């Protein structure tokens, strides 16, 4: 038997996830979680900007040895639940 707190009342609606938004990489703070598309399986952490390469680092959250580098102006998805 389920406890009363475990049962979802028919009048209760689960809270919806806030909509993800597209933002340019240069306006995202270092350390923020990002995805390359709303349906992407991989999640990245915004890293530093390399002035010599003129690219921003994105570190993979599942494999810290894997990084990708993206140019200024690349749009990424933020504001999702991770």
């Amino acid at each position: 038997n389920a406890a009363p707190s475990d049962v979802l009342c028919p009048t209760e609606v689960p809270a919806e996830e806030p909509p993800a938004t597209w933002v340019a990489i240069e306006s995202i703070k270092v350390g923020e979680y990002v995805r390359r598309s709303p349906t992407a399986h991989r999640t990245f952490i915004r890293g530093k900007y390399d002035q010599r390469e003129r690219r921003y680092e994105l570190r993979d959250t599942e494999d810290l040895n894997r990084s990708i580098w993206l140019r200024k102006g690349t749009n990424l998805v933020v504001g999702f639940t991770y």
Side-chain angles (χ1 to χ4, degrees):
N1 242 344
S5 62
D6 295 339
V7 178
L8 183 64
C9 296
T11 57
E12 285 185 42
V13 178
E16 286 189 23
E17 184 176 319
T21 55
W22 291 91
V23 179
I25 192 169
E26 59 268 14
S27 61
I28 299 171
K29 294 180 183 178
V30 173
E32 191 168 344
Y33 290 92
V34 298
R35 288 186 179 150
R36 298 205 59 193
S37 74
T39 58
H41 295 286
R42 296 226 182 237
T43 302
F44 296 92
I45 300 171
R46 157 65 158 87
K48 62 180 180 172
Y49 177 73
D50 188 346
Q51 291 182 348
R52 191 180 76 182
E53 295 288 331
R54 295 187 207 165
R55 294 178 187 244
Y56 292 87
E57 177 188 26
L58 293 182
R59 290 176 285 151
D60 192 337
T61 56
E62 295 179 17
D63 183 2
L64 296 178
N65 292 323
R66 180 176 183 267
S67 293
I68 60 173
W69 297 84
L70 300 175
R71 294 177 188 222
K72 179 180 180 180
T74 304
N75 290 325
L76 300 170
V77 177
V78 295
F80 54 89
T81 303
Y82 177 63

